Amino acid sequence: MDIIELAREIGRQIQQDERYVHLQVAQQNSDEDMQLQELIGAFNLKRLAISNESQKENPDEDKLQQLNLELRKCYTDVLENENFAAYNAAKNDLDSLVKRVTAIVTQSADGE
């Protein structure tokens, strides 16, 4: 088995890990949560509105301030969503595993 095949096997093993499975379930739950999708959509629209207003020759500072308040509210609402929080936790768990594996491979390649 060559190095590339070994790397692919590591990837397959990661996909068998419970952290990967939890992330897939959390992602599906988030994707199917219509309230969360609406919150994300509202957030993106506010961000677009801020961008559009900022690019005007004479942006309305009061309008920008109001849009920023609304954007922060949308952001808070997204973060407080149960499915989004579960997705973030699952993603952080899997990211930690991948970082650990990457560190081991890197250190081994450096002779440790």
Side-chain angles (χ1 to χ4, degrees), residues 2 11 13 15 28 40 46 53 72-73 85 90 93 95 101-102 104:
D2 71 354
Q13 290 301 312
Q15 291 175 355
Q28 182 175 353
I40 292 170
K46 294 296 178 195
E53 185 64 33
R72 283 196 290 273
K73 171 72 169 106
D93 286 346
D95 287 348
V101 169
T102 301
I104 291 168

PDB file of all heavy atoms in Angstrom, residues 2 11 13 15 28 40 46 53 72-73 85 90 93 95 101-102 104:
ATOM      1  N   ASP A   2       0.650   2.153  -0.943  1.00  0.00           N
ATOM      2  CA  ASP A   2       1.484   3.356  -1.001  1.00  0.00           C
ATOM      3  C   ASP A   2       0.928   4.450  -0.078  1.00  0.00           C
ATOM      4  O   ASP A   2      -0.129   4.306   0.529  1.00  0.00           O
ATOM      5  CB  ASP A   2       1.643   3.845  -2.439  1.00  0.00           C
ATOM      6  CG  ASP A   2       0.373   4.454  -3.027  1.00  0.00           C
ATOM      7  OD1 ASP A   2      -0.680   4.412  -2.380  1.00  0.00           O
ATOM      8  OD2 ASP A   2       0.457   4.987  -4.142  1.00  0.00           O
ATOM      9  N   GLY A  11      -8.822   8.707   5.591  1.00  0.00           N
ATOM     10  CA  GLY A  11     -10.087   9.391   5.294  1.00  0.00           C
ATOM     11  C   GLY A  11     -11.282   8.479   5.487  1.00  0.00           C
ATOM     12  O   GLY A  11     -12.310   8.882   6.059  1.00  0.00           O
ATOM     13  N   GLN A  13     -11.448   5.895   7.437  1.00  0.00           N
ATOM     14  CA  GLN A  13     -11.589   5.641   8.872  1.00  0.00           C
ATOM     15  C   GLN A  13     -12.222   6.839   9.589  1.00  0.00           C
ATOM     16  O   GLN A  13     -13.031   6.660  10.506  1.00  0.00           O
ATOM     17  CB  GLN A  13     -10.233   5.300   9.495  1.00  0.00           C
ATOM     18  CG  GLN A  13      -9.693   3.955   9.064  1.00  0.00           C
ATOM     19  CD  GLN A  13     -10.625   2.821   9.414  1.00  0.00           C
ATOM     20  OE1 GLN A  13     -11.112   2.718  10.536  1.00  0.00           O
ATOM     21  NE2 GLN A  13     -10.890   1.958   8.436  1.00  0.00           N
ATOM     22  N   GLN A  15     -14.376   8.779   8.290  1.00  0.00           N
ATOM     23  CA  GLN A  15     -15.801   8.712   7.947  1.00  0.00           C
ATOM     24  C   GLN A  15     -16.551   7.659   8.763  1.00  0.00           C
ATOM     25  O   GLN A  15     -17.772   7.719   8.859  1.00  0.00           O
ATOM     26  CB  GLN A  15     -15.981   8.449   6.454  1.00  0.00           C
ATOM     27  CG  GLN A  15     -15.561   9.630   5.613  1.00  0.00           C
ATOM     28  CD  GLN A  15     -15.622   9.338   4.122  1.00  0.00           C
ATOM     29  OE1 GLN A  15     -15.895   8.220   3.704  1.00  0.00           O
ATOM     30  NE2 GLN A  15     -15.365  10.359   3.329  1.00  0.00           N
ATOM     31  N   GLN A  28     -27.722  17.447   8.387  1.00  0.00           N
ATOM     32  CA  GLN A  28     -29.031  17.140   7.815  1.00  0.00           C
ATOM     33  C   GLN A  28     -30.144  17.808   8.618  1.00  0.00           C
ATOM     34  O   GLN A  28     -31.073  18.382   8.044  1.00  0.00           O
ATOM     35  CB  GLN A  28     -29.257  15.627   7.764  1.00  0.00           C
ATOM     36  CG  GLN A  28     -30.579  15.258   7.133  1.00  0.00           C
ATOM     37  CD  GLN A  28     -30.753  13.760   6.959  1.00  0.00           C
ATOM     38  OE1 GLN A  28     -29.841  12.987   7.193  1.00  0.00           O
ATOM     39  NE2 GLN A  28     -31.936  13.366   6.554  1.00  0.00           N
ATOM     40  N   ILE A  40     -31.049  32.177   8.421  1.00  0.00           N
ATOM     41  CA  ILE A  40     -29.820  32.343   7.638  1.00  0.00           C
ATOM     42  C   ILE A  40     -30.097  33.211   6.412  1.00  0.00           C
ATOM     43  O   ILE A  40     -29.294  34.085   6.061  1.00  0.00           O
ATOM     44  CB  ILE A  40     -29.238  30.973   7.237  1.00  0.00           C
ATOM     45  CG1 ILE A  40     -28.723  30.249   8.483  1.00  0.00           C
ATOM     46  CG2 ILE A  40     -28.128  31.128   6.201  1.00  0.00           C
ATOM     47  CD1 ILE A  40     -28.339  28.796   8.253  1.00  0.00           C
ATOM     48  N   LYS A  46     -29.667  40.888   5.086  1.00  0.00           N
ATOM     49  CA  LYS A  46     -29.200  42.071   5.834  1.00  0.00           C
ATOM     50  C   LYS A  46     -27.762  42.395   5.460  1.00  0.00           C
ATOM     51  O   LYS A  46     -27.401  43.557   5.278  1.00  0.00           O
ATOM     52  CB  LYS A  46     -29.303  41.850   7.349  1.00  0.00           C
ATOM     53  CG  LYS A  46     -30.693  41.712   7.878  1.00  0.00           C
ATOM     54  CD  LYS A  46     -31.497  42.974   7.698  1.00  0.00           C
ATOM     55  CE  LYS A  46     -32.910  42.756   8.212  1.00  0.00           C
ATOM     56  NZ  LYS A  46     -33.831  43.774   7.769  1.00  0.00           N
ATOM     57  N   GLU A  53     -25.729  49.447   0.683  1.00  0.00           N
ATOM     58  CA  GLU A  53     -25.795  50.811   1.232  1.00  0.00           C
ATOM     59  C   GLU A  53     -24.388  51.392   1.375  1.00  0.00           C
ATOM     60  O   GLU A  53     -24.169  52.565   1.088  1.00  0.00           O
ATOM     61  CB  GLU A  53     -26.520  50.810   2.574  1.00  0.00           C
ATOM     62  CG  GLU A  53     -26.755  52.179   3.167  1.00  0.00           C
ATOM     63  CD  GLU A  53     -27.682  53.056   2.316  1.00  0.00           C
ATOM     64  OE1 GLU A  53     -28.611  52.527   1.660  1.00  0.00           O
ATOM     65  OE2 GLU A  53     -27.477  54.293   2.316  1.00  0.00           O
ATOM     66  N   ARG A  72     -27.033  42.003  13.586  1.00  0.00           N
ATOM     67  CA  ARG A  72     -26.609  41.394  14.850  1.00  0.00           C
ATOM     68  C   ARG A  72     -27.730  40.566  15.469  1.00  0.00           C
ATOM     69  O   ARG A  72     -27.491  39.485  16.014  1.00  0.00           O
ATOM     70  CB  ARG A  72     -26.102  42.458  15.815  1.00  0.00           C
ATOM     71  CG  ARG A  72     -24.699  42.938  15.469  1.00  0.00           C
ATOM     72  CD  ARG A  72     -24.050  43.694  16.611  1.00  0.00           C
ATOM     73  NE  ARG A  72     -24.643  44.981  16.869  1.00  0.00           N
ATOM     74  CZ  ARG A  72     -24.324  46.116  16.276  1.00  0.00           C
ATOM     75  NH1 ARG A  72     -23.375  46.114  15.364  1.00  0.00           N
ATOM     76  NH2 ARG A  72     -24.917  47.239  16.586  1.00  0.00           N
ATOM     77  N   LYS A  73     -28.973  41.055  15.362  1.00  0.00           N
ATOM     78  CA  LYS A  73     -30.127  40.306  15.873  1.00  0.00           C
ATOM     79  C   LYS A  73     -30.291  39.006  15.098  1.00  0.00           C
ATOM     80  O   LYS A  73     -30.504  37.935  15.688  1.00  0.00           O
ATOM     81  CB  LYS A  73     -31.391  41.168  15.763  1.00  0.00           C
ATOM     82  CG  LYS A  73     -32.687  40.436  16.048  1.00  0.00           C
ATOM     83  CD  LYS A  73     -32.846  40.124  17.513  1.00  0.00           C
ATOM     84  CE  LYS A  73     -34.260  39.645  17.826  1.00  0.00           C
ATOM     85  NZ  LYS A  73     -34.342  38.216  18.071  1.00  0.00           N
ATOM     86  N   ALA A  85     -26.565  25.135  16.768  1.00  0.00           N
ATOM     87  CA  ALA A  85     -25.628  24.902  17.871  1.00  0.00           C
ATOM     88  C   ALA A  85     -25.107  23.465  17.835  1.00  0.00           C
ATOM     89  O   ALA A  85     -23.911  23.226  18.038  1.00  0.00           O
ATOM     90  CB  ALA A  85     -26.308  25.198  19.205  1.00  0.00           C
ATOM     91  N   ALA A  90     -20.735  19.627  16.623  1.00  0.00           N
ATOM     92  CA  ALA A  90     -20.285  18.443  15.885  1.00  0.00           C
ATOM     93  C   ALA A  90     -19.140  18.788  14.945  1.00  0.00           C
ATOM     94  O   ALA A  90     -18.175  18.027  14.818  1.00  0.00           O
ATOM     95  CB  ALA A  90     -21.462  17.836  15.121  1.00  0.00           C
ATOM     96  N   ASP A  93     -15.948  19.166  16.921  1.00  0.00           N
ATOM     97  CA  ASP A  93     -15.423  17.862  17.328  1.00  0.00           C
ATOM     98  C   ASP A  93     -14.667  17.194  16.178  1.00  0.00           C
ATOM     99  O   ASP A  93     -13.567  16.670  16.369  1.00  0.00           O
ATOM    100  CB  ASP A  93     -16.553  16.940  17.804  1.00  0.00           C
ATOM    101  CG  ASP A  93     -17.078  17.313  19.171  1.00  0.00           C
ATOM    102  OD1 ASP A  93     -16.422  18.105  19.882  1.00  0.00           O
ATOM    103  OD2 ASP A  93     -18.162  16.813  19.532  1.00  0.00           O
ATOM    104  N   ASP A  95     -13.427  18.678  13.474  1.00  0.00           N
ATOM    105  CA  ASP A  95     -12.252  19.494  13.158  1.00  0.00           C
ATOM    106  C   ASP A  95     -11.090  19.186  14.102  1.00  0.00           C
ATOM    107  O   ASP A  95      -9.931  19.141  13.675  1.00  0.00           O
ATOM    108  CB  ASP A  95     -12.592  20.987  13.210  1.00  0.00           C
ATOM    109  CG  ASP A  95     -13.430  21.454  12.035  1.00  0.00           C
ATOM    110  OD1 ASP A  95     -13.584  20.696  11.048  1.00  0.00           O
ATOM    111  OD2 ASP A  95     -13.948  22.588  12.105  1.00  0.00           O
ATOM    112  N   VAL A 101      -4.982  14.394  13.636  1.00  0.00           N
ATOM    113  CA  VAL A 101      -4.420  13.484  12.634  1.00  0.00           C
ATOM    114  C   VAL A 101      -3.399  14.222  11.771  1.00  0.00           C
ATOM    115  O   VAL A 101      -2.305  13.707  11.506  1.00  0.00           O
ATOM    116  CB  VAL A 101      -5.545  12.866  11.767  1.00  0.00           C
ATOM    117  CG1 VAL A 101      -4.971  12.135  10.565  1.00  0.00           C
ATOM    118  CG2 VAL A 101      -6.424  11.937  12.600  1.00  0.00           C
ATOM    119  N   THR A 102      -3.742  15.431  11.345  1.00  0.00           N
ATOM    120  CA  THR A 102      -2.829  16.230  10.522  1.00  0.00           C
ATOM    121  C   THR A 102      -1.531  16.517  11.279  1.00  0.00           C
ATOM    122  O   THR A 102      -0.438  16.434  10.700  1.00  0.00           O
ATOM    123  CB  THR A 102      -3.511  17.543  10.100  1.00  0.00           C
ATOM    124  OG1 THR A 102      -4.694  17.228   9.365  1.00  0.00           O
ATOM    125  CG2 THR A 102      -2.601  18.405   9.254  1.00  0.00           C
ATOM    126  N   ILE A 104      -0.173  14.735  13.639  1.00  0.00           N
ATOM    127  CA  ILE A 104       0.603  13.495  13.736  1.00  0.00           C
ATOM    128  C   ILE A 104       1.337  13.227  12.427  1.00  0.00           C
ATOM    129  O   ILE A 104       2.535  12.900  12.423  1.00  0.00           O
ATOM    130  CB  ILE A 104      -0.314  12.315  14.124  1.00  0.00           C
ATOM    131  CG1 ILE A 104      -0.797  12.481  15.572  1.00  0.00           C
ATOM    132  CG2 ILE A 104       0.406  10.984  13.932  1.00  0.00           C
ATOM    133  CD1 ILE A 104      -1.920  11.545  15.956  1.00  0.00           C
TER     134      ILE A 104
END
